[in-house]
């Protein structure tokens, strides 16, 4: 007889309150960074916009730069959810990759110059000084996506999952880096080219393709 698995406990009122304040600070800081710029925004302005006391800010973020790291972690979490949803879609892998890169391209194209500047700041933190678990989280999001696709017979099984995941993750990161540092970067064209190439590379041997 097996013991019943422990059910996840619901967050306490205190935990919910802490999360609420943290999200308010993140939302307020992102809005101000886009409106005024990162360097021009003060912690006092963030606290006032989030409707929290100045000293409360430091209970959540030791420094203003920690907001950038938290924004990067939020983006990884959102990407992980997107990849999980895509991994459950029926159809060939190139369809999922096209959708993934096309959505990303549209998001980048719609960004304002201030949003591009903020993305550059976030990248400077997440790529240069990110904790190891953050990097692992990013890689694991793509690994889970590939692993599910291999199980479904949509991705080749003769190459290690980690290797294929590195290919997709690196292409995704490279597009973001190029967009930040090259104002005229043809993001839509490169996104389609990357999706096509990756789709051909990852497709299960003998599987049908929409191309």
């Amino acid at each position: 007889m097996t013991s019943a698995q422990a059910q996840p406990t619901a967050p306490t009122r205190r935990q919910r309150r802490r999360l609420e304040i943290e999200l308010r600070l993140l939302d307020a800081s992102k809005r101000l960074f886009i409106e005024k710029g990162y360097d021009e925004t003060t912690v006092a302005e963030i606290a006032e916009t989030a409707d929290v006391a100045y000293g409360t800010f430091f209970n959540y973020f030791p420094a203003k730069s920690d907001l950038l790291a938290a924004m990067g972690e939020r983006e990884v979490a959102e990407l992980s959810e997107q990849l999980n949803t895509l991994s459950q879609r029926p159809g060939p892998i190139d369809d999922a990759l096209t959708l993934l890169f096309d959505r990303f391209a549209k998001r980048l194209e719609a960004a304002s110059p201030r949003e591009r500047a903020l993305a550059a700041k976030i990248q400077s933190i997440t790529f240069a000084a990110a904790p190891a678990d953050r990097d692992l989280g990013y890689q694991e999001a793509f690994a889970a996506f590939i692993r599910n696709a291999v199980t479904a017979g949509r991705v080749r099984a003769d190459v290690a999952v980690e290797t294929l995941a590195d290919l997709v993750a690196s292409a995704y990161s490279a597009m973001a880096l190029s967009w930040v540092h090259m104002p005229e970067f043809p993001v839509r064209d490169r996104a389609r080219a990357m999706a096509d190439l990756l789709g051909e590379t990852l497709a299960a041997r003998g599987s049908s393709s929409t191309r």
Side-chain angles (χ1 to χ4, degrees):
M1 181 176 179
T2 59
S3 59
Q5 292 184 340
Q7 296 297 316
T9 58
T12 64
R13 181 178 180 181
R14 183 176 181 179
Q15 290 171 329
R16 292 196 304 270
R17 175 63 174 167
R18 182 173 181 82
L19 178 60
E20 176 195 346
I21 294 175
E22 181 178 324
L23 292 177
R24 276 162 49 191
L25 287 168
L26 280 172
D27 291 340
S29 60
K30 183 174 183 178
R31 185 163 65 251
L32 288 169
F33 291 165
I34 292 173
E35 290 176 357
K36 301 183 59 178
Y38 173 81
D39 293 329
E40 292 75 18
T41 300
T42 66
V43 170
E45 290 172 325
I46 295 170
E48 181 179 0
T49 302
D51 194 25
V52 302
Y54 176 80
T56 300
F57 174 92
F58 298 99
N59 293 332
Y60 293 82
F61 301 100
K64 189 172 71 169
S65 60
D66 291 302
L67 288 163
L68 299 175
M71 289 177 188
E73 290 171 4
R74 178 191 273 188
E75 290 184 1
V76 170
E78 292 173 352
L79 174 61
S80 181
E81 290 181 8
Q82 182 182 2
L83 288 169
N84 182 56
T85 299
L86 286 174
S87 72
Q88 299 174 41
R89 288 173 57 94
I93 189 61
D94 51 359
D95 283 353
L97 290 168
T98 296
L99 190 55
L100 173 67
F101 280 87
D102 188 56
R103 285 176 177 172
F104 193 34
K106 288 179 180 177
R107 175 186 164 195
L108 298 182
E109 283 185 334
S112 67
R114 289 281 194 184
E115 288 173 311
R116 186 193 295 259
L118 176 58
K121 285 286 188 181
I122 293 173
Q123 285 184 6
S124 70
I125 293 293
T126 57
F127 286 100
D133 57 353
R134 188 269 177 191
D135 287 339
L136 290 175
Y138 179 78
Q139 293 300 127
E140 178 53 32
F142 284 97
F145 169 69
I146 297 298
R147 194 176 296 115
N148 289 337
V150 170
T151 301
R154 297 192 296 156
V155 165
R156 61 193 299 173
D158 61 327
V159 178
V161 165
E162 293 75 15
T163 300
L164 298 177
D166 283 345
L167 284 175
V168 183
S170 296
Y172 198 87
S173 295
M175 194 165 79
L177 284 168
S178 296
W179 169 77
V180 161
H181 298 291
M182 300 167 58
E184 302 303 320
F185 181 71
V187 62
R188 186 70 64 92
D189 291 342
R190 293 296 175 84
R192 289 172 179 166
M194 285 181 181
D196 288 348
L197 179 59
L198 289 169
E200 294 176 3
T201 303
L202 270 63
R205 306 299 87 175
S207 65
S208 60
S209 172
T210 59
R211 304 292 175 225

